[in-house]
Amino acid sequence: MKHTDSISSIQMAIIIASSIIGVSLMVLPRFVASKVGEAAILASVVGLLISFLSVLAITLLGRKYRNYTIIGCNRLILGKFVGNLMNYMIILLTIFLMGLEVRQFSEVLASGLLPNTPIEISIALMIILCALVGFHNVSTFAYIHTFYLPFLLIPMVFFILAFEDMESYHLLPIFGHDLSFFEFMSGAFEMSSAITNFFVISLLIPYIKDNESMVKNGIWGFFLGGLAILYTIIVALGVFGVKELEQIHWPALSLSRVIEIPGEVLSRVDAIILITWIFAVFTTLLSYFFVIVRGTAEIFRTNRFAFISTIMIPIIFVVALIPNNVYEIFEYVITIAKIVTVLFILLPFGLIVIGRFRKKVGVQ
């Protein structure tokens, strides 16, 4: 099937980067540090490498089966019944992840910018905003990510001003204190579980016009997004240390509050960073919604994207309201994200191997 709508592999790389830099940026330093202590930096690097395996597998799969999304690959290689079962699982898990992440966003917004606004309002508005984008054109989706990427990097510039508050002893020892291999890998897996939204590229494969450059540019996109996450963890750990990080719900937001602009030109740096972070949340949630809408449409072989978007709004809203408090949000996110991470790594690699044994032809 020829697609008149198309994007470049560079746009795909931008989508990967802007999808990774999102909701998890605010809370990830706390998650990793609570697991492995001072080894958070090293564990984060290992976690990024684990996630990179998924990006590599998806792009390799896409280069071989360039006319199919992950939905089509599942049907082609695994058969109709098993393939659709995997497709339903992908959509269901993505719905839960989006619901929980939009709830995290609303909690951060309530604590830092809109304390008197009910979280239900923030949740509903963000979901509706994603639904209003429209999903008929993949190129429009790519342009949105490209436009917002510079805004997502603004907090990284402000975090440079926190360097003077960093203490080197907070970062040592880099291997942590008496960590077992299992404990270390648990922290690494925590990192990889927080950045699963790059999976959106598995729905973009047929639309990438320079397919031969997809693997190379996919690596660069993941490197940019992963570097931003790693940079935030290093700064947060260096400023607060492990013990204090464990007590902070939103480390990146707290980090922005200790930043002082020379000459006191800006008195509320945290408000500026929080506003720019909203852009990052939007692009991340938009990627989840893209998977949900376009994936569901392909499963049921329809192009009624507006109808599917409308149906998904109340479903995601209800999922977002399931946790009773911040601690339950963290528990749900960690549990589901770990399942998603394993699925998103094993599935594309499994499809490559099974496709070879079953001699399924991708590129004609």
Side-chain angles (χ1 to χ4, degrees):
M1 177 181 177
K2 283 286 186 181
H3 295 275
T4 55
D5 193 16
S6 64
I7 63 173
S8 68
S9 60
I10 293 177
Q11 287 177 303
M12 181 205 69
I14 292 173
I15 291 170
I16 293 174
S18 63
S19 296
I20 290 175
I21 306 170
V23 182
S24 60
L25 194 67
M26 281 290 171
V27 71
L28 194 52
R30 175 180 179 266
F31 278 173
V32 181
S34 63
K35 287 285 185 180
V36 296
E38 289 80 3
I41 298 174
L42 189 59
S44 298
V45 173
V46 174
L48 286 171
L49 292 175
I50 293 173
S51 292
F52 171 71
L53 293 176
S54 180
V55 176
L56 183 62
I58 292 170
T59 51
L60 288 174
L61 182 71
R63 194 163 64 179
K64 183 174 183 181
Y65 299 94
R66 65 179 60 179
N67 296 322
Y68 298 89
T69 66
I70 191 70
I71 305 296
C73 284
N74 284 335
R75 282 192 183 131
L76 174 70
I77 299 171
L78 302 178
K80 186 176 180 180
F81 178 77
V82 177
N84 278 334
L85 188 64
M86 298 305 298
N87 291 336
Y88 294 143
M89 187 180 299
I90 289 171
I91 301 303
L92 185 62
L93 289 172
T94 307
I95 287 172
F96 272 94
L97 273 180
M98 180 175 176
L100 293 172
E101 293 215 2
V102 76
R103 173 65 181 276
Q104 281 192 72
F105 157 75
S106 302
E107 294 286 353
V108 177
L109 204 61
S111 64
L113 199 62
L114 302 171
N116 298 320
T117 302
I119 61 170
E120 291 84 0
I121 300 297
S122 301
I123 292 170
L125 288 178
M126 182 55 79
I127 299 173
I128 291 172
L129 181 61
C130 291
L132 288 176
V133 168
F135 298 92
H136 286 276
N137 294 318
V138 174
S139 55
T140 302
F141 173 74
Y143 291 146
I144 291 172
H145 279 273
T146 304
F147 176 80
Y148 281 112
L149 183 62
F151 295 99
L152 311 190
L153 301 177
I154 290 176
M156 309 301 133
V157 178
F158 278 108
F159 288 163
I160 295 175
L161 300 174
F163 283 2
E164 62 181 20
D165 296 310
M166 292 178 64
E167 301 290 347
S168 58
Y169 65 85
H170 285 160
L171 306 175
L172 300 173
I174 60 173
F175 294 101
H177 293 281
D178 300 321
L179 283 176
S180 66
F181 178 76
F182 177 79
E183 289 171 331
F184 178 82
M185 290 307 298
S186 176
F189 205 66
E190 202 83 34
M191 173 69 180
S192 59
S193 300
I195 51 172
T196 56
N197 26 44
F198 57 77
F199 194 75
V200 65
I201 63 171
S202 65
L203 273 294
L204 301 175
I205 291 168
Y207 304 93
I208 300 173
K209 54 189 176 185
D210 51 337
N211 190 277
E212 64 282 351
S213 301
M214 187 169 62
V215 176
K216 178 184 69 175
N217 288 327
I219 292 172
W220 278 111
F222 183 80
F223 176 78
L224 176 60
L227 190 63
I229 296 289
L230 184 61
Y231 169 72
T232 304
I233 291 174
I234 293 172
V235 177
L237 181 62
V239 171
F240 297 118
V242 174
K243 295 299 181 183
E244 193 170 351
L245 267 182
E246 291 177 349
Q247 307 302 319
I248 301 174
H249 285 313
W250 320 111
L253 182 60
S254 299
L255 183 64
S256 64
R257 288 171 177 164
V258 305
I259 295 174
E260 294 182 2
I261 304 292
E264 298 184 355
V265 178
L266 298 172
S267 59
R268 288 294 306 276
V269 177
D270 60 315
I272 296 174
I273 291 179
L274 192 55
I275 290 170
T276 58
W277 176 72
I278 292 174
F279 299 144
V281 171
F282 170 65
T283 55
T284 298
L285 296 177
L286 184 63
S287 292
Y288 280 133
F289 209 69
F290 185 91
V291 173
I292 294 168
V293 174
R294 298 283 301 211
T296 303
E298 188 170 350
I299 289 173
F300 293 102
R301 304 179 189 276
T302 179
N303 60 355
R304 299 179 65 186
F305 303 119
F307 175 75
I308 297 172
S309 298
T310 304
I311 294 296
M312 290 300 172
I313 291 173
I315 295 174
I316 297 171
F317 181 80
V318 170
V319 171
L321 295 179
I322 291 176
N324 294 315
N325 51 55
V326 173
Y327 299 101
E328 285 193 11
I329 297 173
F330 294 159
E331 290 177 4
Y332 283 125
V333 169
I334 291 171
T335 301
I336 295 176
K338 286 180 178 178
I339 298 172
V340 168
T341 302
V342 174
L343 176 65
F344 287 178
I345 292 175
L346 295 183
L347 179 60
F349 272 119
L351 289 174
I352 293 173
V353 174
I354 296 172
R356 182 180 295 272
F357 277 104
R358 297 191 65 188
K359 298 181 180 179
K360 293 294 183 179
V361 178
V363 181
Q364 300 291 344

